[in-house]
Structure formats: structure tokens, C-alpha cells
Amino acid sequence: MRGMKNKVVAAIGAANFCLLLALPERGTAEVDPPAERVGFDVLGGFEYTGKATGPNGRGGTGTIPEAVRALNGRRVEVSGYVMPIDIDEHGVRSFALVKDQGSCCFGQAPLINHWVYVTLKGRPIREIDFEPKRVVGTFTVGEYYEQGYLVCLYRMTGEIVGK
């Protein structure tokens, strides 16, 4: 009986040691910084007066306020509605995150500063619904042109974290 008890104690000790080896050293685990919540009241709270086209695909800098430009490169959380852009057999890989359903599904196209072009990291979205989504990721601010036309002001690489 005593031999069995020693084996059990040894097994528990070995298991605890293995658990300790699996834990990262204190202070070495990578943790994303908290995201700053940014609303469309800030992103869309100004009249953008940049050019839609320009020489060599550049229209010049428009009127993006400094407080909005300061979000460039930061980790932010933005809530809105998903309007799919890039869809394949696995689901939606990129989308426009728009401020309201009128912009998304039932109304007029959103103003250039009332939506964010989102590229998902990780798994694509498999199902789309009409509920607002919270997206967290790295935010990019600035005029983005393709083939000489202004495409968007805001881009984000991130993931949906809930409603």
C-alpha cells in the first residue's frame, strides 16, 4: 500500500512540474494592448473635402482632423454593420464596416468617412446577420487610392469580438 501511495505522490508531483514547464515565464507572454473605442461620431464627425481623383492616382491630403489622424497605427475597437466585400468558398474575408443599416443594406451609399475597410485576420465570417459587430484591430488613417480613384480613408486589420 505504501508503495502505491509513493507512486501516486510521485505522479502528482511530475504532473505539477510539467504544468509549470508549460507556463510562460512571468512577463514574457505577449498580450495585446487594450483597444481604444472609437465611434463613427468621431470618424464621420467632419466634412471630408479631399479629391476623388488626382494626378498619378493622388488627390492630395483632404480634411481629416488631427485627432482622427492620431488614431493611425493604434489598436482600436469600432462597432458597426458588416457589408461583405471579399467572399470566397470559406466565407467573408473583408468587408465595409458601416455606421448604420441604412448605409449597409437599405439605403444610400455611406460617405467616405462613415465606413472602415476591414480585412479579417484568422477565420472568415461564415454567416452574416443584421446585428452590429464590434471589430478590434490595427487602424490605418489616410487617403487610399486604387487606379487613380479614392477608395477609402480608413482601413483596419482585425477580428470580430462580439456585438
Side-chain angles (χ1 to χ4, degrees):
M1 186 73 157
R2 178 171 259 191
M4 180 64 133
K5 184 177 178 184
N6 288 340
K7 288 179 183 179
V8 170
V9 170
I12 292 172
N16 285 335
F17 181 72
C18 288
L19 285 174
L20 286 174
L21 290 177
L23 293 175
E25 291 181 37
R26 184 176 294 262
T28 62
E30 290 186 31
V31 177
D32 286 330
E36 177 180 348
R37 283 190 176 176
V38 178
F40 281 105
D41 58 329
V42 172
L43 300 177
F46 62 95
E47 182 179 344
Y48 178 75
T49 59
K51 296 180 181 179
T53 61
N56 299 322
R58 297 287 184 222
T61 302
T63 56
I64 301 173
E66 188 54 41
V68 175
R69 285 192 183 277
L71 297 169
N72 189 54
R74 297 190 36 203
R75 184 173 160 78
V76 302
E77 175 184 316
V78 183
S79 294
Y81 295 85
V82 172
M83 188 168 74
I85 293 177
D86 179 24
I87 305 170
D88 64 19
E89 67 275 6
H90 302 291
V92 177
R93 297 197 176 276
S94 67
F95 56 89
L97 186 70
V98 297
K99 75 174 197 161
D100 56 41
Q101 284 184 323
S103 300
C104 172
C105 308
F106 307 110
Q108 180 176 345
L111 296 174
I112 194 81
N113 58 336
H114 288 188
W115 67 280
V116 178
Y117 179 80
V118 177
T119 302
L120 288 174
K121 55 182 202 181
R123 296 184 322 183
I125 302 171
R126 299 290 293 168
E127 296 180 15
I128 302 296
D129 58 29
F130 296 108
E131 298 294 322
K133 304 294 181 211
R134 290 177 27 235
V135 180
V136 172
T138 303
F139 201 68
T140 303
V141 178
E143 291 86 352
Y144 181 74
Y145 289 86
E146 282 187 3
Q147 299 179 355
Y149 293 96
L150 179 62
V151 177
C152 64
L153 297 182
Y154 309 127
R155 291 173 287 151
M156 187 174 187
T157 301
E159 55 194 345
I160 294 176
V161 295
K163 294 181 179 183

